[in-house]
């Protein structure tokens, strides 16, 4: 199956000096990312520090995006929590607001749970939301959750709930796993979490990319997608990979937020919630280079 690849940005969550959610900057930055050419946003995931936010904060922030003029059909907010009731509340709200879908972590506190237990959890969420418009994108990030989204689990979910599960984000960093999902379930939209894997993802029939560094480099990642199979692909890919490598050498989330602050000329974007700490000034040169490459200004 050949797809037109898409880029969804896991948009950062700006915080105010008192560590409350800065909805004004959140909406402004999210609109800037869409103006960079991203197909949509996947807020309230790992890069968004979502698991450092309350349910009410996430609901209010999503409302701010939509009420601020962002089309909910361009939003796949993260709604997966450790607590079943929290996941239901967030998913119901996102679905009622008309979002394209929800990007859902598995319940992640208890380890060693069975696939049947996970099926029961997802089934309870679907019953709790009780909305035929519900669409779920599974979120596989086992290095953080300790709870993998296995091929067996996907098969069980698709059989029990046809039409509900429409995609998967694979943040494992394991291309072989992504490829196995694409091959086993070509009907799903399978997204890689690294733009470096876009050529392989698209060639295999995947759906594109949901990448943290797209917060800084969305325009060039979109350009790479458009350049696949053309003489320009290699040159664009080199620049895209260079930006990603810079961020991979730094504490990722503080670095992404610091680069966003540099891009906007607004230090407030660099504020993180504990347990993260702001990036030190010793990384300023690396950040400046990443932003310069992203803006096409690197020497």
């Amino acid at each position: 199956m050949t797809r037109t690849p898409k880029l969804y940005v896991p948009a950062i969550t700006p915080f105010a000096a008192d560590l409350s959610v800065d909805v004004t900057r959140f909406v402004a930055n999210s609109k800037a990312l869409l103006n960079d050419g991203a197909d949509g946003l996947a807020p309230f995931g790992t890069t968004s520090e979502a698991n450092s936010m309350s349910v009410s904060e996430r609901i209010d922030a999503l409302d701010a995006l939509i009420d601020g003029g962002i089309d909910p059909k361009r939003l796949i907010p993260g709604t997966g929590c450790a607590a079943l009731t929290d996941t239901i509340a967030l998913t119901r709200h996102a679905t009622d607001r008309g979002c394209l879908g929800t990007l859902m972590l598995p319940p992640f506190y208890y380890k060693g749970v069975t696939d049947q237990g996970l099926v029961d959890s997802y089934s309870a969420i679907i019953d709790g939301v009780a909305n035929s418009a519900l669409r779920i994108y599974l979120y596989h990030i086992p290095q953080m959750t300790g709870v993998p989204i296995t091929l067996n689990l996907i098969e069980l979910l698709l059989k029990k709930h046809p039409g509900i599960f429409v995609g998967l984000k694979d943040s494992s960093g394991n291309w072989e796993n992504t490829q196995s999902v694409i091959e086993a379930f070509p009907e799903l939209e399978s997204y890689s979490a690294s733009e470096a894997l876009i050529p392989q993802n698209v060639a295999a029939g995947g759906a594109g990319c949901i990448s943290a560094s797209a917060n800084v480099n969305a325009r060039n990642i979109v350009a790479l997608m458009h350049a696949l199979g053309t003489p320009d692909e290699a040159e664009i890919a080199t620049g895209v990979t260079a930006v990603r490598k810079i961020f991979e050498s730094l504490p990722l989330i503080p670095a992404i937020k610091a680069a966003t602050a540099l891009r906007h000329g607004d230090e407030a974007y660099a504020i993180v919630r504990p347990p993260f700490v702001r990036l030190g000034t010793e990384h300023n040169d690396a950040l400046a280079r990443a932003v310069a490459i992203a803006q096409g200004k690197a020497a």
Side-chain angles (χ1 to χ4, degrees):
M1 180 184 296
T2 301
R3 304 178 187 271
T4 300
K6 296 180 180 179
L7 173 66
Y8 287 89
V9 184
I12 62 159
T13 305
F15 296 113
D18 64 359
L19 299 183
S20 62
V21 177
D22 187 335
V23 293
T24 300
R25 285 185 172 87
F26 185 44
V27 173
N29 183 62
S30 296
K31 288 183 175 180
L33 294 170
L34 293 175
N35 288 337
D36 284 343
D39 294 281
L41 306 174
F44 317 123
T46 305
T47 308
S48 312
E49 299 171 84
N51 286 299
S52 295
M53 299 169 64
S54 69
V55 169
S56 62
E57 285 178 321
R58 290 161 74 168
I59 286 174
D60 290 346
L62 180 61
D63 283 340
L65 291 181
I66 297 171
D67 295 343
I70 292 178
D71 183 353
K73 293 303 180 188
R74 300 182 76 179
L75 298 173
I76 309 175
T79 61
C81 301
L84 177 66
T85 50
D86 289 350
T87 302
I88 291 172
L90 289 168
T91 305
R92 181 190 294 127
H93 174 256
T95 305
D96 288 347
R97 290 296 325 244
C99 291
L100 177 64
T102 63
L103 183 60
M104 193 176 293
L105 289 169
F108 52 79
Y109 180 78
Y110 297 105
K111 307 304 186 285
V113 296
T114 64
D115 281 351
Q116 185 57 54
L118 294 173
V119 170
D120 293 345
S121 179
Y122 285 111
S123 296
I125 293 163
I126 292 166
D127 291 343
V129 172
N131 188 330
S132 62
L134 173 63
R135 297 294 181 269
I136 296 173
Y137 293 76
L138 296 164
Y139 188 2
H140 176 63
I141 183 167
Q143 67 272 31
M144 300 293 284
T145 64
V147 181
I149 305 296
T150 65
L151 295 180
N152 180 65
L153 174 60
I154 296 171
E155 183 176 6
L156 292 171
L157 291 172
L158 292 178
K159 286 183 177 178
K160 186 171 184 180
H161 301 288
I164 300 294
F165 294 90
V166 296
L168 175 137
K169 178 187 178 186
D170 187 353
S171 292
S172 67
N174 182 347
W175 164 246
E176 288 73 20
N177 183 76
T178 311
Q179 186 176 35
S180 69
V181 174
I182 295 171
E183 291 176 351
F185 308 105
E187 67 273 30
L188 292 182
E189 298 175 25
S190 293
Y191 293 89
S192 297
S194 169
E195 56 272 34
L197 294 175
I198 286 173
Q200 297 99 306
N201 179 290
V202 174
C209 183
I210 304 176
S211 167
S213 50
N215 277 279
V216 179
N217 203 27
R219 199 176 297 275
N220 291 321
I221 295 171
V222 171
L224 174 60
M225 290 178 171
H226 292 164
L228 292 175
T230 74
D232 296 328
E233 178 183 342
E235 181 179 356
I236 297 172
T238 297
V240 164
T241 300
V243 172
R244 182 167 187 86
K245 285 184 176 179
I246 291 171
F247 286 115
E248 287 178 344
S249 70
L250 302 171
L252 180 61
I253 292 170
I256 292 291
K257 298 192 85 169
T260 301
L262 187 61
R263 171 188 175 178
H264 289 292
D266 183 353
E267 276 299 308
Y269 280 102
I271 297 172
V272 292
R273 268 190 180 173
F276 291 119
V277 295
R278 289 179 64 159
L279 206 67
T281 57
E282 68 272 19
H283 301 300
N284 284 355
D285 288 347
L287 286 179
R289 176 163 173 74
V291 172
I293 295 171
Q295 295 178 343
K297 299 176 181 177

